[in-house]
Amino acid sequence: FFFFFKQKTAYEMQRGLVGSEMCIRDRYQRRVHGILNMDREESKTLVPSKYSILVPTYNERENIKPFITLVMQEAKDYKLDLEIIVVDDNSPDKTQEVVIEMQEKFGNDKVILKTRAGKLGLGSAYIFGLQYCTGNFIIIMDADLSHHPKFIHEFIEKQIKTKSDIVTGTRYRGNGGVYGWDLRRKLTSRVANYIATVMLDAHVSDLTGSFRLYKKQVLLDLVPRLKSKGYVFQVEAIIRAQYLNYKIEEVPITFVDRILGKSKFGPDEIVQFLKGIWQLFSDVQSHFTFTICLLYTSPSPRDQRGSRMPSSA
């Protein structure tokens, strides 16, 4: 059957018959063989959705201009309908001034600036910015260019192909990697990721990564469940999503250490990260124990119908 189907498909293609019926059969055949590969031109046209790029900032004056420029270029190249929501925590380096300059260049509908009184935490910045996102997909990125905008279309293509709820970037699978870190920084990242993965039974390879695409409704469902406000926010989000059986896919990315500005991840943040992981582990264990208790204490359907109860020992 498949041989005949394949020969018929080839014959129709040679004749140039590319009607709707032919396209459906051809797509089905490629799905069956697991080689559904959208070419570059096709991927540029199959993006009917709107994407909101959510970017928290604090002292990113030097990076925010090239970041916004690269994102808007990506949108132009791949015909993406997107907006950038910048959540700035009253940066002393006047990051807001640069964002306003970008608004004048690209328009207030494409670059949206939302400010807060001070540095209130990464997780709370995501929650704050989410209420201003008008897209039906949310992409969370860092503004320091460690998450290069060139990967945005790959995230979108992955989501379209797999119909996934979340797409997360990974440094530790496929051709992903890290550049610009010394051995101590690489070791710290690997150990932190390993600890979190083992303790939380994570099914993704880069649990501590923060370059992600969410369906908006999925993120809205997750946010009320999240307790973390700092760097653990993204870890908790992916773990909660996993336990809620949301479909998660990964895209290999190249993480490049910031060239301009200073990293905000210091010793205090490491301590808060470890505390957050332990708290999340405790919550997960409590949830697991509660679920097991329900399974063992809930009456079976036969018991509920009044069937003979097992005799006690």
Side-chain angles (χ1 to χ4, degrees), residues 9 16 46 59 63 106 130 143 156 192 240 247 252 255 287 294:
T9 299
L46 294 180
N59 285 345
N63 293 308
F106 296 107
L130 182 59
I156 294 173
R240 301 280 184 196
K247 186 175 182 180
F255 182 98
H287 174 77
L294 285 179

Side-chain angles (χ1 to χ4, degrees), residues 301-312:
R302 290 185 62 192
D303 297 338
Q304 291 176 351
R305 290 195 300 267
S307 300
R308 184 167 58 90
M309 297 289 288
S311 60
S312 58

Side-chain angles (χ1 to χ4, degrees), residues 261-277:
K262 296 182 179 180
S263 174
K264 286 83 176 177
F265 198 75
D268 292 341
E269 284 73 20
I270 293 176
V271 172
Q272 291 302 317
F273 175 82
L274 294 175
K275 286 182 178 179
I277 292 297

Side-chain angles (χ1 to χ4, degrees), residues 80-94:
L80 304 176
D81 182 11
L82 62 75
E83 62 184 2
I84 304 172
I85 292 87
V86 179
V87 179
D88 186 70
D89 282 355
N90 197 23
S91 299
D93 72 345
K94 308 298 183 183

